Amino acid sequence: MSVIAKWATRLIAFLVLSYLVAISGALRPLVNSIYIPFTDFITRLGLGEMRDYSDRLDNNLIVLYFLFSAITAVLLIAFVEWSIRQVSKK
């Protein structure tokens, strides 16, 4: 398989997996336990003028949810590629 085809497959797999993980709600408990302490930490840094606390909570919930979905998709792709390499060695 050519290099371009491999990277195109990886990109499509990343987009599909991150979407599926995001809509499945599998990471919701993790994000719900992290987003309030994360917002408090960002608030304590004092990075200048900030919006209302409730707006920051909503934004951080969404950002963290999709960030963890993307990280999960990357890890799944890496695991599948590693598994394929292990099977092809045998």
Side-chain angles (χ1 to χ4, degrees):
M1 188 184 285
S2 72
V3 174
I4 295 174
K6 282 183 183 179
W7 280 104
T9 304
R10 287 177 182 147
L11 178 65
I12 291 169
F14 169 74
L15 293 173
V16 169
L17 285 173
S18 60
Y19 178 74
L20 289 175
V21 169
I23 64 170
S24 72
L27 299 174
R28 186 169 300 214
L30 173 68
V31 173
N32 282 339
S33 66
I34 290 176
Y35 81 103
I36 292 174
F38 178 75
T39 303
D40 291 340
F41 171 72
I42 296 297
T43 303
R44 286 190 198 121
L45 289 178
L47 300 173
E49 188 66 30
M50 294 188 177
R51 293 179 292 208
D52 280 346
Y53 186 75
S54 62
D55 290 341
R56 284 183 280 141
L57 274 177
D58 292 340
N59 289 343
N60 287 339
L61 176 67
I62 293 168
V63 167
L64 287 174
Y65 192 69
F66 285 106
L67 174 70
F68 285 132
S69 296
I71 290 170
T72 303
V74 167
L75 291 174
L76 284 171
I77 291 170
F79 178 72
V80 167
E81 286 186 5
W82 178 79
S83 298
I84 290 171
R85 284 189 195 123
Q86 294 300 318
V87 168
S88 66
K89 283 183 182 178
K90 294 179 182 181

